[in-house]
Amino acid sequence: MPDPDVIDLPNFLPYRLAVATDAVSGRLARRYREEFDLSIPEWRVMAVLARFPEISANEVAERSAMDKVQVSRAVAQLLRSGHLDRRADAADRRRTMLSLSPSGQEIYRRIVPMARAYEQDLFARLSDREADILMQALVRLSQP
Amino acid sequence: MPDPDVIDLPNFLPYRLAVATDAVSGRLARRYREEFDLSIPEWRVMAVLARFPEISANEVAERSAMDKVQVSRAVAQLLRSGHLDRRADAADRRRTMLSLSPSGQEIYRRIVPMARAYEQDLFARLSDREADILMQALVRLSQP
DNA sequence: TGAAATTAGTTTCAAATGAAACTATCGTTG
DNA sequence: CAACGATAGTTTCATTTGAAACTAATTTCA
């Protein structure tokens, strides 16, 4: 019977969640880095732009759970490595419209199977029902 | 029906996990900081020492999913703020035995109800069965 | 209209983090 | 027992990250 005055870290939800994310993100980050020389923020930007081409940096931020500073830095790096194209918005010259360059599309095309396979590897540890409940629980925990 | 060539970030498990952890840890970190002026690594060290008094820094690292550098830095800070006591191990003078100081115990005693209440707040978003499945799923995802 | 407030995005500076090197002590074995 | 390797913990240095300040363009509204 657990002592109510002492917290058992391995059973403490925020800790367990952080440990799981460290493990899952860590392995994935290593693959992005080794196989594609991308950081996770860079990958997120590419993933958003693959799904929503020609959007602004701010819209990328909204769709990737990153702030505008993170996006700005990831975009700068992706421009350096040639995976992104950027053009000024004629209607509002503060905004810049972003999209994957041909090289970015090519890399993205190669990332997708790896990312899917990795995700499948994770889901293989769970039954379908457990996976559903997990995904839904994570959404609930994300709410403010 | 989902496009197999495009990944939908909000439904991608590693992303959803990272977003949930950011939310959960972020809110908690803010409270530790505001109410107790502690970082999460410092809190982890204290939580481990409350449960396992008089252990070495290495043992703290093993029990807190941190590496020895993180533990060393957190311990240094906790010594500065007076929440930890440290004494050399007579048998092995490389090791130092750590424990919560009276002030550390006092802080810990005040943290526990806050941390439990916060965790309860999270679990309140889930049914008991969902919570069980979530906790178990997180353990499975943490495995190498 | 035009000054003030807002928005998009970047840069700066300080603090946090990670990897590798380092110090000190201990254990092992020739 | 002396040299060598292993272990506990710290420090250094480079990179990453976060918060705030900044620039440039746009919108608001007196």
Side-chain angles (χ1 to χ4, degrees), chain B residues 49-105:
Chain B
L49 289 175
R51 187 137 201 301
F52 303 97
E54 289 285 321
I55 63 177
S56 71
N58 260 331
E59 289 170 80
V60 171
E62 283 164 22
R63 294 190 177 279
S64 63
M66 300 194 286
D67 63 34
K68 64 182 184 172
V69 175
Q70 288 180 286
V71 171
S72 173
R73 294 203 250 242
V75 164
Q77 180 55 43
L78 288 168
L79 288 170
R80 274 192 291 274
S81 47
H83 298 326
L84 241 57
D85 286 336
R86 173 163 69 176
R87 58 173 193 77
D89 182 351
D92 180 345
R93 292 199 333 276
R94 293 169 305 180
R95 304 175 77 218
T96 60
M97 302 311 256
L98 300 168
S99 53
L100 293 178
S101 69
S103 137
Q105 291 176 29

